[in-house]
Amino acid sequence: FTGAKARGLRSVPNTVFERCAFDDTDLPGAQFADTTFVECTFGGARFSAATSFVRCSFTRTAVEFSEARVSRTTCDGTAIPDQWAGEADSAVALERYAGRYARALGVGDTEGMALDPEMDDS
């Protein structure tokens, strides 16, 4: 996955990534749930406030979550404290999106709007 553009990627439950490289991968808005990462690398991977790791397991895998949401996740069998450094950024992006949607709705032009609050509609 090195260098991949994986914006909005979603894992299915019980996905296992073993010895995978996510180095320099764009993962804004990616959602990993019930996913296991074994001996994976995330050097230079880019997350956003909308990236989430929920009930994930990391084994011999180091990752800097930055602003990503982390909930009920473990690393080498030890619980990682829940965190979401990007919560405020996510709320701002959602508020901006709601404003753009309301303006588009007012002029009857919602067809061209991106569904992702983090994406620019231009």
Side-chain angles (χ1 to χ4, degrees), residues 53 64-72 80-86:
F53 295 90
E64 176 58 48
F65 296 107
S66 63
E67 59 190 348
R69 183 179 195 169
V70 180
S71 176
R72 297 178 293 190
I80 297 172
D82 289 355
Q83 62 189 43
W84 192 12

Side-chain angles (χ1 to χ4, degrees), residues 9 11 17 22 27 30-35 37 51-54 56:
L9 174 74
S11 68
F17 292 103
F22 293 91
L27 292 165
Q31 296 178 4
F32 298 98
D34 302 301
T35 302
F37 299 88
T51 304
S52 64
F53 295 90
V54 178
C56 292

Side-chain angles (χ1 to χ4, degrees), residues 17-113:
F17 292 103
E18 191 167 350
R19 290 185 296 279
C20 294
F22 293 91
D23 302 318
D24 297 315
T25 300
D26 285 324
L27 292 165
Q31 296 178 4
F32 298 98
D34 302 301
T35 302
T36 300
F37 299 88
V38 179
E39 295 180 3
C40 296
T41 58
F42 284 87
R46 289 169 293 285
F47 306 124
S48 72
T51 304
S52 64
F53 295 90
V54 178
R55 294 178 310 275
C56 292
S57 171
F58 293 85
T59 303
R60 294 179 303 280
T61 299
V63 59
E64 176 58 48
F65 296 107
S66 63
E67 59 190 348
R69 183 179 195 169
V70 180
S71 176
R72 297 178 293 190
T73 292
T74 63
C75 183
D76 295 323
T78 301
I80 297 172
D82 289 355
Q83 62 189 43
W84 192 12
E87 184 173 12
D89 292 337
S90 182
V92 168
L94 188 57
E95 187 175 315
R96 283 187 193 140
Y97 180 79
R100 287 194 319 267
Y101 186 80
R103 286 188 298 279
L105 187 61
V107 297
D109 185 26
T110 59
E111 289 293 316
M113 286 199 62

